Structure formats: C-alpha cells, structure tokens
Amino acid sequence: LVRSRGLGDVYKRQEAGIVGAGGAGFPTYAKLNNNAKTILLNCAECEPLLRLHRQLLKFHATEIVSAFDETRKSVGAEEGIVCIKEHYKGAINAVTALLPEYPALKLKVLRKVYPAGDEVMLIYDATGKVVRPGGLPIESGVAVFNVETMYNAYHALKGEPLVSKLVTIAGEVAHPKTLRLPLGAKLSEAIKLAGGETIKDYVYWVGGPMMGRIASPSDPVTKTTNSVFVLPSDSFVVNKLRSDVKIEVGRAAASCCQCRTCTDMCPRNNVGHPIEPHKIMRAAACNDFSDVSAFLNTFYCCGCGVCELYACPQGLSPRKLIQTIKGALRANGVKPPKDTQASEVNPMRDFRRVPLERLVSRLGVKKYQADAPLDNQLIDGFSEVNILCSQHIGAPAVPVVKVGDKVERGQVVAKAAEGLSVNIHASISGIVTGVTPKCITVKKVD
C-alpha cells in the first residue's frame, strides 16, 4: 500500500471524490469516525445477479484488504471483519490467504440469502448488534465499507481520483461482461460493449432485480452504478415497478387477507424494527387512520422488496404502498419518530430468510445468472461523457469549469460544496461542451 498521504487526509479533504460504490453513495470521508470500534468490509452483494464485488475481491484482494486495514487504523477501530457470502469461493480463498498478515482482521462467512448485504442485516450477522431503527451504524460503534470503495481508496492513496466505475452488463445481451467505464458514459454505449441487445422489446434496468429502476439509454454511468441489465419489457420485475399505486390500493382492499406473511418475512421486522407491512395494507385499503404508528413506521422500511416480490401469496404490493406513504410524509414535512428502539430479534429469523436460488426463480431472472467476466482495464473509446454533479448523498458539487475549457482526465471539474459533498473529476480528456449546475459534458478531441 502506497502511503504518500494518509488515508484520513485523502478522505477528509474530499479530494479524491470517494463515495460508497453502491446504494446511495454516502461520502466515505464522513464515515471516518473515532467511535467506530469495528469496521466491516461488505462483500455480500445484496441483490441477486450482481457479480462485480466478488470478482474484484477475488482478483484484487491484496489492494482491497490493505486499504481496509489502513482504514481501520485511521479510525482507531479494534477489529475489521471481511464479510463474504459462502458461495463466493474465489473471494474467500483470496482473503483467507492474506489474513495472517493482518492480525486485526478476520473473516465472516455469510449465508446465501437475501438481503445479506443490507447494512443492518450485515451488522447483525457479523457482530450481533442491532442498529437502532432510523439510526446510523456508528451509533453501534460500527462502520461499513464497500469492496469497490476500498479498491478506490487504495488508488486514492497513490494520488488517483475516482473517474471510473465497474459495471456488470448482463441480461438480454450477447456477451455479459463486467467492465470499467468512465463516469458519465451513456448506458446505451455500455450495452454495445457487451454485444448489444438480443431482443427487440426491452428496458434498461439499473441495479439488481429487487431494488433496481428503469433507466433511459442516455442515462450516464455514476459512482453508484453497479449494473445495467437488458430485461424484457413484460418481465415480472418490470411490470411490478410500473404498476399504478391507485390500482394497488384497490387490489389490497379487494384481496389482502391479512395473513401477515409480508411482515413475518420482513428482514428489518425480524431484527426488531417496527415496520409491519400488513398493517400498512390494512390501513391503506380501509382508510383506517386510527393507528398513526402504522404510517410513521414506514420510515423504517429499507425498500428491499421481500414483502411484494417474494412473500405475498397474492402478488400484492406492500412496498409500493409503503414507499408512497413515506414519500408523502416527507413531502409534508413529517419526520421519523425520535429515539425509536428495536424490540427483541425474532427467534424465528433464521428460518425466515430468503434463499437466493429460490428468489431468482421466483423473479424469473435465473437465466441471467451469467458469469459476466471482469475486465478491469478502463475502456477508453468513449467520445463524450455527461458527468453528473450529484453522484452522492449530500450537496451536489459545484462546477468550476466553463464551456470551451480543455480538461485532462482526473482534473477537478466540480468542487465539493459546503457540508456533505465530494469533488467530481473529468473522466476523459477533452473539451467542455456543456455546463449546468447538474451536469458537465466533456467531448473527446482527437
């Protein structure tokens, strides 16, 4: 590990632009907290079909583990735990071979279930601690870091800012691959690198099948883009996402039998968080506002989708109702209840976890479990990129370039704003052809 500058300095100055390489993109420097007694390396890949973390850790364990231990030292944590799903044999073997060099690190092998990579689930499985509902992991003395985030941290120590992202390209494509793409590259151009679409009626799906979204072909790769799948437009997960919430409320009123399977299978409920999807279904369907806690507790939903994509025997959509209610509460200035505490972990939890193989079969995506081999060399053939100024939680970075400026790859094009924010860098060398508060366009010049 090259230590030309301390890892803490790189993070705290926000200069390298490092954020969580998945999820919401939480700026990594903000996780460097001296209250962390344990740090976790997350190689659970919460969603089905995703492959880049296991591949990256298998082939680049030396860099990742060294950066992880350096992070542990930076925050003064007593231990670091590398968390890997049990079927990621290559990653497990690679890390196991390195552990004798790092006495403060240990390995935690996770079950092949969904959503093992959810932060709350991961912390409980690795440490036995339950994060307070609505709270942050640091309250429990824990900080969690993504595998690719640690790989980026390793390179940041060598003075290399974050300008690219590993993305798995799979689904209905000719040659599924995991490629390193410049930030701002169009998804449609990324799909071409995997041989293009193999069907005519399709959608671009960014993220995993449980929590992903439909994207436009012109959408850019960001610091949190882990995957893009080409899916049939009439597939189960696409139809679920597109369903009308008003129709789903009517279906709930007509069909929900209050079997409470959605609540019994809810991962957060099973670690004691007060989220009960069946009560939301009853309240929404019957216009019953006598128990406002049912609505307020929607704040504790993580959106994993188990309730509607796996648990409900009638194919109803508790998550869609929950997300709609939660969004409406936030829009009207309602905030989560303060100091909510978790109840006891359900002793039946281990029997209510969702097996991955059964889940992918239920979702109808088993055919897309392709190897998608990793190519970690930056693809350099993009003629234009649209680099978003907000690729992270917090304040968007502020553009510091203007149209006509010549920029080099790695040059800062947007500076971190006040508060929670990070720098944004040019991902290709070229001429700036567009600047707005939201996006900077750079065109390559031959």
Side-chain angles (χ1 to χ4, degrees), residues 281-436:
M281 297 293 280
R282 182 171 65 208
C286 302
N287 290 319
D288 180 5
F289 302 101
S290 59
D291 181 8
V292 296
S293 66
F295 295 93
L296 292 176
N297 287 344
T298 59
F299 282 112
Y300 307 126
C301 172
C302 67
C304 71
V306 166
C307 56
E308 74 178 31
L309 294 172
Y310 187 84
C312 182
Q314 300 189 76
L316 305 179
S317 298
R319 177 177 62 175
K320 187 175 286 287
L321 271 63
I322 289 170
Q323 300 290 18
T324 301
I325 291 167
K326 182 162 63 171
L329 291 173
R330 285 176 171 164
N332 286 278
V334 179
K335 296 183 178 180
K338 293 184 177 180
D339 301 322
T340 301
Q341 300 299 315
S343 59
E344 294 295 319
V345 174
N346 193 319
M348 297 296 291
R349 174 179 180 263
D350 281 344
F351 304 100
R352 293 177 173 176
R353 307 184 76 182
V354 179
L356 273 180
E357 288 303 317
R358 188 175 298 177
L359 178 61
V360 296
S361 295
R362 187 79 61 89
L363 296 174
V365 296
K366 191 169 185 177
K367 64 180 291 189
Y368 306 130
Q369 285 185 312
D371 288 338
L374 172 67
D375 181 352
N376 199 25
Q377 296 299 311
L378 178 64
I379 304 296
D380 200 24
F382 292 89
S383 61
E384 184 179 86
V385 292
N386 295 303
I387 305 168
L388 299 184
C389 296
S390 180
Q391 302 183 42
H392 52 267
I393 277 184
V398 180
V400 293
V401 293
K402 62 183 183 300
V403 172
D405 284 352
K406 184 176 181 180
V407 296
E408 299 294 329
R409 178 187 293 152
Q411 179 180 330
V412 174
V413 293
K415 292 283 288 185
E418 292 293 324
L420 191 65
S421 188
V422 296
N423 288 349
I424 302 291
H425 304 79
S427 57
I428 65 173
S429 298
I431 301 294
V432 176
T433 59
V435 178
T436 72

Side-chain angles (χ1 to χ4, degrees), residues 205-227:
W205 184 275
V206 171
M210 294 294 283
M211 294 186 283
R213 61 178 177 85
I214 297 172
S216 166
S218 62
D219 283 355
V221 170
T222 73
K223 296 179 181 182
T224 61
T225 306
N226 280 336
S227 62

Side-chain angles (χ1 to χ4, degrees), residues 246-257:
K246 293 181 180 179
I247 294 176
E248 293 302 337
V249 170
R251 294 183 66 226
S255 303
C256 180
C257 63

